[in-house]
């Protein structure tokens, strides 16, 4: 069993599946190791909710807004503020870098609005 806290994987024993009468029905193409593997995620419920809402007009509009505002901001930070790679190590350093980048982006936008 693999457990990252957010993602879990369970494997059946290969020897159990090898002699199981349900093997043909149970195993699929992705179970190449010869034993059943199940995956679960902390985010599974949220992912399913989004999947079922993907054709709602409200959802499509929110997605469009995200593409304009969020994705554009991420792209600008990536190429303009060197967020492709971080120079310092550690989560705190990464958070500092991201916050400074966001602050710089906001200052640039405020200056652009003033002009
Ligand atoms: S996981 Fe499927 S194939 Fe493997 S022992 Fe259980 S029922 Fe049989």
């Amino acid at each position: 069993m693999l457990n990252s806290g957010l993602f879990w994987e369970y494997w059946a024993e290969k020897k159990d599946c090898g002699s199981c009468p349900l093997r043909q029905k149970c195993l699929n193409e992705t179970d190449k190791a010869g034993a059943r593997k199940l995956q679960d995620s902390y985010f599974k419920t949220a992912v399913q909710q989004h999947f079922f809402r993907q054709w709602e007009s409200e959802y499509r509009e929110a997605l469009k807004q995200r593409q304009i505002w969020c994705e554009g901001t991420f792209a600008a930070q990536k190429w303009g503020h060197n967020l492709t790679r971080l120079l310092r190590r550690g989560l705190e350093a990464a958070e500092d870098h991201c916050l400074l980048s966001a602050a710089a982006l906001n200052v640039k936008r405020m200056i652009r609005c003033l002009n």
Side-chain angles (χ1 to χ4, degrees), residues 9 12 14 23 27-28 30 33 38-39 41 43-44 49 51-52 57-58 62 64 67 84-86 92 97:
E9 278 187 348
K14 197 173 180 179
R23 181 182 167 83
L27 297 186
N28 56 34
T30 58
L38 297 173
Q39 298 174 327
S41 164
F43 305 106
K44 187 177 180 179
Q49 284 173 346
F51 181 78
F52 290 124
S57 61
E58 222 173 51
K64 204 183 296 177
Q67 286 171 340
T84 309
R85 289 198 182 122
L86 300 175
E92 278 186 35
H97 193 141

Side-chain angles (χ1 to χ4, degrees), residues 10-14 17 25-28 30-31 33-38:
Y10 305 96
W11 293 279
E13 293 287 330
K14 197 173 180 179
C17 292
K25 286 184 184 175
C26 186
L27 297 186
N28 56 34
T30 58
D31 298 322
R36 182 81 164 132
K37 183 168 81 175
L38 297 173

Side-chain angles (χ1 to χ4, degrees), residues 43-57:
F43 305 106
K44 187 177 180 179
T45 308
V47 169
Q48 285 175 337
Q49 284 173 346
H50 285 278
F51 181 78
F52 290 124
R53 291 192 61 206
Q54 68 181 323
W55 303 115
E56 292 176 13
S57 61

